[in-house]
Amino acid sequence: MTQPKRIAITGAAGQIGYQLCFRIASGDLLGPTQPVILQLIEIPPALDMLRGVVMELQDAAFPLLQDVVATTDLDEGFADTDYAILVGAKPRGPGMERADLLSENGKIFGPQGKALNNVASRDVKVLVVGNPANTNALIAQANAPDLPPENFTAMTRLDHNRALAQLAEKTGVHHTMIRQMTIWGNHSSTQYPDVHQTLVGGKPTLDLIGQGWYENDFIPTVQQRGAAIIKARGASSAASAASAAIDHIRDWALGTDGDDWVSMAVPADGSYGIEPGVIYSFPCTCSDGQWKIVQGLEINEFSRARMEATDKELREERAAVEALL
Ligand code: NAX
């Protein structure tokens, strides 16, 4: 039998975690022939709820699910794990400043990085979903000096998918016919959804949507889609966020499609003038379990200003958590 892959999820009893568990156990992450073991991590107040999730996983009788671990202990939860999806994070409380939020989350992602460093598979692929995702990923990476730094990533795939959805709706072309979309920078309202290389049904996007709609409707709608969902649903995006996390890891593990690319927040390496030191979303292709930043794209002045603004925000976030790095 194929060796099972171990997938750790933090915040597994939360709304995104709950979705992830069932999608992964049913084979959506690594395909219909790959057995999986779920290693679910929560904090003590949510442990009863997590037990309920485990009971439901048992009752779903998924053929691929070999075992489920439910724990509050990081060393147990991350033991030998091949993938770690870090979802649990501290939400912003009333009156909490961004700097307080960053340092509170630092206290979560520092120890998680250390535990991954000590007990996870040496090839563990880490995806941080919990916000502020890019900087939380940076903190986890800094605390895991023995693991490859490139194995720490953060999620901008939901923003990428949201951008595809907006373009599909505007142009009347199905989203599977849209290629080469890019989200640059931070998973925050400074992110820059760039369509300059994007093809809709093989045609340049700006010719179809026009500069006015791009600037005044599309960019703000993608940037603020999370808030619009909270307003409509009374709760933040959950199923779409879990789905994007699955897209991110599946493509990283199994490869991206042909000449298309995806958006992944990965350690900056100087590409496109974004200096090392932050986890920044780039257009990436993946093969053989490795991501690569797409090189050589032309960047105009409009794009450059927006790429720099989101980089500036990431460097301010970094400065606020410097002590934890
Ligand atoms: P929930 O509040 O439903 O669930 C979070 C869960 O994490 C809770 O069960 C909590 O007990 C657990 N938790 C908290 N601290 C923990 C720790 N130290 N170790 C383990 N578990 C811990 O939130 P949910 O809607 O699932 O969202 C989770 C995170 O995803 C939030 O930070 C949210 O902002 C972020 N998001 C990120 C997105 C992205 O695109 N990167 C989009 C969706 C989402 O908003």
Side-chain angles (χ1 to χ4, degrees), residues 100-184:
D100 299 333
L101 180 72
L102 284 161
S103 73
E104 282 302 310
N105 276 294
K107 291 181 200 149
I108 296 175
F109 288 86
Q112 289 183 356
K114 285 194 176 78
L116 285 163
N117 192 56
N118 292 339
V119 301
S121 154
R122 298 302 81 187
D123 297 321
V124 63
K125 288 181 164 53
V126 182
L127 169 63
V128 176
V129 174
N131 279 319
N134 302 51
T135 298
N136 288 340
L138 185 71
I139 294 166
Q141 182 205 48
N143 283 275
D146 303 328
L147 295 173
E150 65 272 19
N151 284 14
F152 286 79
T153 66
M155 186 165 97
T156 50
R157 185 62 176 266
L158 180 56
D159 309 300
H160 179 104
N161 289 347
R162 284 168 172 167
L164 297 182
Q166 290 303 312
L167 291 177
E169 199 176 5
K170 173 75 175 170
T171 59
V173 173
H174 192 260
H175 51 263
T176 50
M177 301 293 289
I178 305 175
R179 305 181 79 74
Q180 301 178 182
M181 175 68 217
T182 304
I183 304 290
W184 300 97

Side-chain angles (χ1 to χ4, degrees), residues 50-92:
L50 186 60
R51 289 201 186 99
V53 175
V54 175
M55 287 158 73
E56 281 203 78
L57 281 166
Q58 290 165 340
D59 295 349
F62 290 113
L64 292 173
L65 187 59
Q66 299 299 303
D67 195 9
V68 185
V69 175
T71 183
T72 57
D73 181 76
L74 294 178
D75 286 346
E76 186 185 359
F78 289 138
D80 298 320
T81 199
D82 299 292
Y83 299 91
I85 310 180
L86 309 185
V87 182
K90 183 134 189 142
R92 196 173 195 147

Side-chain angles (χ1 to χ4, degrees), residues 232-256:
R233 210 173 80 86
S236 57
S237 325
S240 57
S243 201
I246 284 174
D247 289 348
H248 176 115
I249 298 242
R250 190 199 52 231
D251 288 346
W252 188 3
L254 306 181
T256 45

Side-chain angles (χ1 to χ4, degrees), residues 12 224 228 252 270 273 324:
Q224 288 153 28
W252 188 3
L324 301 162

